[in-house]
Amino acid sequence: VHKEHGVEMQQRSEETRRKITRAALQRFSQYGYNAASVADICADAGISKGAFYHHFASKQALFLDLLEAWLAELDVQFTTAAHGASTISQGMIAMASLTGPVFEAADGRLPMFLEFWNQALRDPDVWKASIQPYHRYQKRFAERIEQGISNGELQPARSESVARALIGLALGMLLQAAFDPRAANWAEETRLGVQMIIQGLQRRKA
Amino acid sequence: VHKEHGVEMQQRSEETRRKITRAALQRFSQYGYNAASVADICADAGISKGAFYHHFASKQALFLDLLEAWLAELDVQFTTAAHGASTISQGMIAMASLTGPVFEAADGRLPMFLEFWNQALRDPDVWKASIQPYHRYQKRFAERIEQGISNGELQPARSESVARALIGLALGMLLQAAFDPRAANWAEETRLGVQMIIQGLQRRKA
Amino acid sequence: VHKEHGVEMQQRSEETRRKITRAALQRFSQYGYNAASVADICADAGISKGAFYHHFASKQALFLDLLEAWLAELDVQFTTAAHGASTISQGMIAMASLTGPVFEAADGRLPMFLEFWNQALRDPDVWKASIQPYHRYQKRFAERIEQGISNGELQPARSESVARALIGLALGMLLQAAFDPRAANWAEETRLGVQMIIQGLQRRKA
Amino acid sequence: VHKEHGVEMQQRSEETRRKITRAALQRFSQYGYNAASVADICADAGISKGAFYHHFASKQALFLDLLEAWLAELDVQFTTAAHGASTISQGMIAMASLTGPVFEAADGRLPMFLEFWNQALRDPDVWKASIQPYHRYQKRFAERIEQGISNGELQPARSESVARALIGLALGMLLQAAFDPRAANWAEETRLGVQMIIQGLQRRKA
DNA sequence: ACTCACGGGACACCCCGTTATT
DNA sequence: AATAACGGGGTGTCCCGTGAGT
């Protein structure tokens, strides 16, 4: 889309884009996708509607952009967290700790996560963009569990079910954290929860 | 609210009300709170807007009505499920099985549940109506865990954290089920997940 | 409209009617004709909409009823005020004092008077109901002036113009009183104003 | 408000604005504030609702704009009329003649004036915008009277009361003119009325 | 005489996206 | 790359009046 018009133009353009995404993230999480109006986002970003539609084809396109950025970021975090864990169990717990940064981001990323989920249920495009990464994560978890089972660390179990339970636990903790952030130290509680499940699966050393 | 003005009138009125709530449930689930318009709900219900606003003060009031009905129904199910379990562990698993009916209602109650959650994040009234039952359930679960610990069935643990984990797991499974209903037998998987956690807490018989 | 169903029925009916008119007067003057809804009036009166439409054919009919009652009351006051004045001048001033009760009615009759006027400008029915009494008053005033001129009390002048000026003054004082009630003692000021005009017309005793 | 974005755009914008105000003036006068719908005004002006709300924040804002423009226009007329009068008395009468243009604008500005007044009674914003100019005029009139008294042209009198009477007379004549435009030459009659009051106050040359 | 339930039709306001312009 | 002006199409809410029923 961007032709060469000098570096400063590009910088200006990207700066504008960033202003939009920042404002949109804020608005979407605070008011939800539908209630957050393009006009409001533009006002927050300090730009005009024309500028908005110069950078994004539609409101939905912007939302998808945010979603993809979020998923990409998530990917990076997961792959870096997978390394450097001596045992499978500790690896799982380390991954669970990843929810930490999400919980800690006090600027309201939690509602945005829920908004992503909610839109995914209704908007086929959003769903398509989400289902793939979701399956990927599930598969990775299952593979890890499989390893744990085959190396004797864990009891035999249906690895996919365990993966779904672990992911479910993490999601459920996010849900609760979004709903009542100050009721508990949700990052810590999530770690504990994962530990419980792993513990239930660990071989009991006679 | 109703004075005596004929049984037929009352019946008609209540049926209209039911038609509205049914249509609203459908619309809210499918399109979300904001995108579901009052006009559409009325059209679905086959009534006029005048009738709608005769029964409900606002769209939000209708939504709250739906939420409260859902919570009340949930309450009944939980209390009936608590009875008739020989051990604490089995009691917990029985409660987990309660998610079954929720999952099975394939007509799209799952998205509605998410919609409830999503609104609770932004609408103070919805939040207030939700936080109380939530805390009640959490407390009940914690008490059960406590009993299990004191009668030696379970290992010592912070009962509240365990309750949060169990609830989190259930919620997370609901989330996944809403997102990808046919990927697994979610009711069964939820039961398994709860079992894992309980297992991790059970005393190992040396 | 009312058949004989016993005296107590009639009493009840009239009581309801009174409740309606009272509430309507209040609502119309506070919010204006259009903004005062039939539902609100009914709520204020503590009756149902059905009862309302049993007594009045329409909202407009009720308004006309109020207007006519007001005009009738005005008529009574004017005719009683005309008597018992020794000179024409003093008669005029006595009539000016009639605005007193109107000003003093602190319950907000002033805005209602303006509402009458405003509706008269747009609604032909209201206009027709108003123009006749208006012309009658104007004629009476003019006749009085005429008498004053012919008996030498006043200078020669076009009696109709004087009548219009006197009425205009009274109306203008009402307008100001409605706009800024506490800025002055409007009843007294009106009397003074009429006095000024009369004074300007009185023969100067050389 | 407008940054530089072409003269043609500005011209187009301002013309649209004018089209709106013109249509609104017409509609408000003819049907009253409440009964004049934004949709009708837009249709009359030949623009879309989007354009309307681009120029005016709300229907009320438009009304206030109209009011302020009217008051500003009035101000100009009054200040220009004050000059060039040899005596106080003649100055007052000259000012009274100012009602002339108001009366003559037969396109229905009179009802609009009443509409202004009516709204001022209920809408605090309109009231605030009106009370200040009203007080200003009253003060100016009173000062003039004061001058007339101190230079011996007029009899001693409470200048404020006289001012209120003069304003009242003018307002009352407007009211009558709005109600029954063809019953008299209201501009002329107003002049006569003011003359009567002034006459009543003039020193009688023994 | 009075009630409740309801229909049909606005109403003010807002929202997403486009266009003319620079 | 960015602006202001604008179009077309809803949105929730309200409102006047009717009719079945007691």
Side-chain angles (χ1 to χ4, degrees):
Chain A
V1 186
H2 300 238
K3 293 246 176 108
E4 283 187 71
H5 270 280
V7 182
E8 66 282 356
M9 264 299 183
Q10 280 186 28
Q11 282 179 342
R12 183 186 172 195
S13 180
E14 281 184 29
E15 164 74 17
T16 300
R17 211 185 155 87
R18 238 193 313 279
K19 281 196 283 187
I20 294 174
T21 51
R22 199 176 316 149
L25 213 54
Q26 161 70 20
R27 281 274 166 187
F28 282 148
S29 41
Q30 185 160 7
Y31 300 102
Y33 178 80
N34 279 286
S37 79
V38 174
D40 287 343
I41 292 170
C42 290
D44 273 22
I47 52 121
S48 74
K49 250 201 289 209
F52 179 98
Y53 282 96
H54 179 74
H55 287 280
F56 297 95
S58 67
K59 187 182 172 183
Q60 194 205 275
L62 163 63
F63 187 84
L64 273 170
D65 233 57
L66 291 176
L67 174 61
E68 271 158 33
W70 187 68
L71 288 172
E73 189 190 342
L74 218 67
D75 232 36
V76 171
Q77 291 190 326
F78 269 117
T79 43
T80 56
H83 295 298
S86 56
T87 68
I88 296 298
S89 307
Q90 283 184 335
M92 297 309 299
I93 293 168
M95 284 172 100
S97 303
L98 269 179
T99 47
V102 182
F103 287 122
E104 280 154 19
D107 58 358
R109 292 175 79 150
L110 257 19
M112 191 60 198
F113 150 75
L114 230 176
E115 195 59 30
F116 281 144
W117 210 275
N118 218 14
Q119 287 296 312
L121 297 190
R122 339 240 193 239
D123 187 325
D125 291 335
V126 177
W127 191 81
K128 270 178 215 153
S130 315
I131 189 77
Q132 216 164 31
Y134 167 69
H135 280 157
R136 197 165 60 237
Y137 297 140
Q138 195 176 294
K139 202 172 158 193
R140 280 194 211 162
F141 272 57
E143 285 168 357
R144 287 246 148 191
I145 306 290
E146 207 90 46
Q147 286 175 23
I149 293 171
S150 60
N151 74 11
E153 198 177 318
L154 302 177
Q155 288 179 26
R158 290 193 51 236
S159 62
E160 285 178 358
S161 296
V162 178
R164 280 197 271 265
L166 286 168
I167 291 176
L169 178 69
L171 292 175
M173 298 312 263
L174 281 170
L175 224 57
Q176 292 180 88
F179 182 58
D180 198 6
R182 281 167 307 192
N185 180 348
W186 292 105
E188 173 64 12
E189 302 259 313
T190 304
R191 236 178 30 78
L192 279 173
V194 172
Q195 234 168 5
M196 289 181 210
I197 292 182
I198 299 289
Q199 226 164 29
L201 290 171
Q202 274 172 338
R203 274 202 183 283
R204 289 132 199 233
K205 302 145 197 165
Chain B
V1 183
H2 297 234
K3 292 208 178 159
E4 37 179 335
H5 248 272
V7 183
E8 297 145 34
M9 264 297 183
Q10 275 190 34
Q11 280 179 344
R12 186 186 174 196
S13 179
E14 280 182 30
E15 204 206 308
T16 301
R17 213 185 155 88
R18 244 192 308 278
K19 281 196 281 188
I20 295 174
T21 52
R22 199 175 313 149
L25 212 53
Q26 162 69 19
R27 283 274 167 187
F28 283 149
S29 317
Q30 188 161 6
Y31 300 102
Y33 178 80
N34 282 288
S37 79
V38 174
D40 288 343
I41 292 171
C42 289
D44 274 20
I47 52 115
S48 72
K49 275 199 247 194
F52 180 97
Y53 279 95
H54 176 70
H55 287 281
F56 297 96
S58 67
K59 186 183 174 185
Q60 194 206 245
L62 164 62
F63 187 84
L64 271 170
D65 232 55
L66 256 38
L67 173 61
E68 269 157 36
W70 187 67
L71 289 173
E73 190 190 338
L74 219 67
D75 232 34
V76 171
Q77 292 189 327
F78 268 115
T79 43
T80 57
H83 295 298
S86 55
T87 67
I88 296 298
S89 307
Q90 282 184 334
M92 297 308 301
I93 293 168
M95 283 172 103
S97 303
L98 269 179
T99 46
V102 181
F103 287 120
E104 279 153 22
D107 59 358
R109 292 177 77 152
L110 256 20
M112 191 61 198
F113 150 75
L114 228 175
E115 198 56 31
F116 281 144
W117 210 276
N118 214 18
Q119 286 298 312
L121 296 190
R122 337 233 193 244
D123 188 325
D125 291 335
V126 177
W127 192 81
K128 268 178 217 154
S130 314
I131 188 78
Q132 215 165 26
Y134 168 69
H135 280 158
R136 197 167 56 238
Y137 296 138
Q138 196 175 295
K139 203 174 158 193
R140 280 194 213 163
F141 273 57
E143 283 169 358
R144 288 245 148 192
I145 307 290
E146 206 92 44
Q147 285 176 23
I149 293 170
S150 60
N151 74 11
E153 199 177 318
L154 303 177
Q155 288 179 26
R158 290 193 51 234
S159 63
E160 287 178 357
S161 297
V162 178
R164 278 196 272 265
L166 286 168
I167 292 176
L169 178 68
L171 291 175
M173 296 314 264
L174 282 170
L175 225 58
Q176 291 180 87
F179 182 57
D180 198 5
R182 282 166 307 193
N185 180 347
W186 291 106
E188 172 64 13
E189 302 260 313
T190 305
R191 233 177 33 77
L192 279 174
V194 171
Q195 233 166 6
M196 291 180 209
I197 293 182
I198 299 289
Q199 227 164 29
L201 289 172
Q202 274 172 337
R203 273 202 183 280
R204 290 129 200 236
K205 301 148 197 166
Chain C
V1 185
H2 301 238
K3 293 244 175 109
E4 282 187 71
H5 270 282
V7 182
E8 67 282 356
M9 266 297 182
Q10 278 188 29
Q11 281 179 341
R12 183 185 173 196
S13 181
E14 281 184 29
E15 164 73 16
T16 300
R17 211 185 156 87
R18 238 192 313 280
K19 280 197 282 188
I20 294 174
T21 51
R22 199 176 315 150
L25 212 54
Q26 161 70 19
R27 282 273 166 187
F28 282 148
S29 41
Q30 185 160 7
Y31 300 101
Y33 178 80
N34 279 286
S37 79
V38 173
D40 286 343
I41 292 170
C42 289
D44 273 21
I47 51 122
S48 75
K49 247 196 296 203
F52 180 97
Y53 282 96
H54 178 73
H55 287 281
F56 297 95
S58 67
K59 187 181 172 184
Q60 196 204 268
L62 163 63
F63 187 83
L64 273 169
D65 233 57
L66 290 175
L67 174 60
E68 271 158 35
W70 186 67
L71 289 173
E73 188 190 342
L74 218 66
D75 232 34
V76 171
Q77 291 189 324
F78 268 116
T79 43
T80 56
H83 295 298
S86 56
T87 68
I88 297 298
S89 307
Q90 283 183 333
M92 299 306 301
I93 293 168
M95 285 172 100
S97 303
L98 269 179
T99 46
V102 182
F103 287 121
E104 281 153 18
D107 59 359
R109 292 176 78 150
L110 255 20
M112 191 61 198
F113 150 74
L114 230 176
E115 196 58 32
F116 281 143
W117 209 275
N118 217 15
Q119 287 296 314
L121 296 191
R122 336 239 193 240
D123 188 326
D125 291 336
V126 177
W127 191 80
K128 271 177 217 155
S130 315
I131 189 76
Q132 216 164 30
Y134 168 69
H135 279 155
R136 196 165 59 238
Y137 298 139
Q138 195 175 294
K139 204 173 158 192
R140 280 194 211 161
F141 272 58
E143 284 169 356
R144 288 245 147 194
I145 306 289
E146 207 90 44
Q147 284 178 24
I149 294 170
S150 61
N151 75 9
E153 199 176 318
L154 304 176
Q155 288 181 26
R158 291 193 51 234
S159 62
E160 287 178 355
S161 298
V162 178
R164 279 196 272 265
L166 286 168
I167 292 176
L169 178 69
L171 290 176
M173 297 312 263
L174 281 170
L175 225 59
Q176 291 180 87
F179 182 58
D180 199 5
R182 281 168 306 192
N185 180 349
W186 292 105
E188 171 64 12
E189 301 257 316
T190 304
R191 236 178 28 80
L192 278 173
V194 171
Q195 234 168 5
M196 289 182 210
I197 293 182
I198 299 290
Q199 224 165 30
L201 290 172
Q202 274 172 338
R203 274 204 182 280
R204 289 136 198 231
K205 302 149 197 165
Chain D
V1 182
H2 298 234
K3 291 206 178 161
E4 37 177 336
H5 248 270
V7 182
E8 296 145 34
M9 262 297 183
Q10 276 189 34
Q11 281 179 342
R12 187 188 174 195
S13 179
E14 279 183 30
E15 203 205 309
T16 300
R17 213 186 154 87
R18 241 192 309 278
K19 281 196 281 188
I20 294 174
T21 51
R22 199 175 316 149
L25 212 53
Q26 162 70 21
R27 283 273 166 186
F28 283 148
S29 318
Q30 187 160 5
Y31 301 101
Y33 178 81
N34 282 287
S37 79
V38 173
D40 288 343
I41 292 172
C42 289
D44 274 20
I47 52 118
S48 71
K49 274 196 251 191
F52 180 97
Y53 280 95
H54 176 71
H55 287 282
F56 297 95
S58 66
K59 188 183 173 183
Q60 193 205 240
L62 164 62
F63 187 84
L64 271 170
D65 233 56
L66 256 37
L67 173 61
E68 269 158 35
W70 187 67
L71 289 173
E73 191 190 337
L74 219 66
D75 231 35
V76 171
Q77 291 189 326
F78 267 115
T79 42
T80 56
H83 295 297
S86 56
T87 68
I88 296 299
S89 308
Q90 282 185 335
M92 298 307 300
I93 293 167
M95 285 171 101
S97 303
L98 268 179
T99 47
V102 182
F103 287 121
E104 280 154 19
D107 58 0
R109 291 178 77 153
L110 255 20
M112 190 63 198
F113 150 75
L114 227 175
E115 197 56 33
F116 281 144
W117 211 276
N118 215 17
Q119 286 297 311
L121 297 190
R122 337 234 195 243
D123 188 324
D125 290 334
V126 176
W127 192 80
K128 269 178 215 154
S130 314
I131 189 76
Q132 215 165 28
Y134 168 69
H135 280 156
R136 196 168 57 237
Y137 295 139
Q138 194 175 295
K139 203 173 158 193
R140 280 193 211 162
F141 273 57
E143 284 169 356
R144 287 246 147 191
I145 306 290
E146 205 90 45
Q147 285 177 23
I149 293 170
S150 61
N151 75 11
E153 199 176 315
L154 303 177
Q155 288 180 26
R158 293 194 51 235
S159 62
E160 287 178 355
S161 297
V162 178
R164 278 195 273 264
L166 286 168
I167 292 176
L169 178 67
L171 291 175
M173 297 313 264
L174 281 170
L175 226 57
Q176 292 180 88
F179 182 58
D180 198 6
R182 283 166 308 193
N185 180 349
W186 291 106
E188 173 63 13
E189 301 261 313
T190 304
R191 233 177 33 77
L192 279 174
V194 171
Q195 234 167 5
M196 289 181 209
I197 293 182
I198 299 290
Q199 227 164 29
L201 289 172
Q202 274 172 339
R203 273 200 184 284
R204 290 138 197 225
K205 300 149 197 165

